[in-house]
Amino acid sequence: MDRAELARRRDIAAGLAAEAAALAARMRAEGRGTASLKGTQDFLTEADGATERFLRDRLGALFPGEAVLGEEMGGEVAGDGPLWVLDPIDGTSNFARGGDRWCVSVGLVAGGRAVAGAVARHAPSEVFAGAEGSGATLNGAPIRAAPTEDITRAIVEVGWSLRSPLAGFHRLAERVMAAGAGLRCGGSGALGLVETACGRLDGYLELHINSWDAAAALAIAREAGCWTTDFDSGDWLASGNPIGFGAPALAARLAALLQA
Ligand code: IPD
């Protein structure tokens, strides 16, 4: 897929993600954002399913026959062809409690790599977007990772889920704080990752995250000059991986914190 086609698809992803976020917000306002539990601290609302259905229908009409993998409805991950990777609502726990820290993530994978994507937030109205070779933007304006060089000035988000042993999360958070960084844990991995790409955060570290949470953010972050771990490797689409993003000058420090 050439650069122009990737940029065209990025723009489509950005428009669809923003529309999907508006749909989810409308459903919540109508009282259809109440959560049930898929497992401990694993929330699902009626809006998650409806938003993924919306994205699948629109992508199916625009790109007939292309594969789609989504958090709620699954999908096939085999082959090198284009694959759309969707998180209809990332930060569902915040969404279900009436908070604003949630987003819709639409990523595009080609040849097994994350190559383009968009992450849209409803309030504030923000669309992060990127495509390989064409840069990364927030609401159309170019973004860059933070220039931070000193870990004692850094703000680092540490993502949490019950997919990894709790002790590992505790140790990671302790290492980040012992290094002198300020700690955050905001409940939306996709937002934490793109906020690192645009320099609001100096790092995002998580011991395991799923492909739908991070595919779009990875394509955006690489274009924003962010340090990123090799997330789109191995069996990442089906099984996820550990992830680290950060200010480029802090790369070695953050990598050591993630791996220790
Ligand atoms: C979760 C959130 C959370 C991250 C987890 C994700 P969900 O996604 O992004 O911040 O730490 O790894 O599973 O359940 O809100 O879509």
Side-chain angles (χ1 to χ4, degrees):
M1 216 176 288
D2 67 15
R3 205 175 126 216
E5 177 59 10
L6 286 178
R8 186 179 81 89
R9 285 168 176 248
R10 170 207 58 202
D11 292 346
I12 289 171
L16 290 181
E19 271 192 72
L23 168 66
R26 218 162 41 239
M27 288 186 73
R28 185 172 71 175
E30 289 163 0
R32 295 155 75 196
T34 310
S36 55
L37 277 184
K38 289 190 273 184
T40 304
Q41 288 295 325
D42 192 3
F43 298 94
L44 178 68
T45 74
E46 193 188 331
D48 289 80
T51 306
E52 185 163 326
R53 185 74 272 152
F54 164 82
L55 290 170
R56 283 175 178 268
D57 288 350
R58 295 291 289 274
L59 288 168
L62 288 163
F63 304 101
E66 288 193 6
V68 179
L69 171 68
E71 176 173 13
E72 308 307 338
M73 296 174 195
E76 289 292 323
V77 297
D80 269 357
L83 169 69
W84 295 95
V85 182
L86 313 177
D87 192 344
I89 299 179
D90 183 67
T92 306
S93 56
N94 295 335
F95 176 82
R97 301 296 293 266
D100 290 332
R101 197 166 176 76
W102 58 272
C103 61
V104 176
S105 177
V106 177
L108 177 67
V109 171
R113 271 173 58 79
V115 288
V119 171
R121 199 172 178 183
H122 185 66
S125 170
E126 291 188 327
V127 180
F128 298 82
E132 207 166 73
S134 299
T137 56
L138 166 54
N139 291 348
I143 54 171
R144 297 300 291 169
T148 312
E149 294 179 351
D150 178 355
I151 192 82
T152 68
R153 287 174 174 266
I155 300 175
V156 176
E157 177 161 355
V158 177
W160 169 83
S161 83
L162 287 174
R163 295 183 302 273
S164 307
L166 201 49
F169 171 80
H170 285 153
R171 284 196 297 267
L172 176 59
E174 195 176 324
R175 286 194 297 275
V176 167
M177 295 179 83
L183 190 74
R184 298 288 185 278
C185 187
S188 166
L191 274 184
L193 291 166
V194 291
E195 290 200 322
T196 305
C198 78
R200 282 183 196 154
L201 295 171
D202 300 298
Y204 184 97
L205 305 174
E206 184 161 354
L207 295 171
H208 176 270
I209 198 162
N210 285 310
S211 56
W212 45 81
D213 296 312
L218 181 58
I220 295 166
R222 281 187 179 131
E223 289 296 309
C226 202
W227 163 71
T228 63
T229 50
D230 205 9
F231 179 73
D232 50 356
S233 60
D235 193 25
W236 73 288
L237 285 165
S239 308
N241 263 331
I243 199 161
F245 282 15
L250 293 175
R253 202 68 204 274
L254 292 168
L257 292 174
L258 182 62
Q259 278 157 23

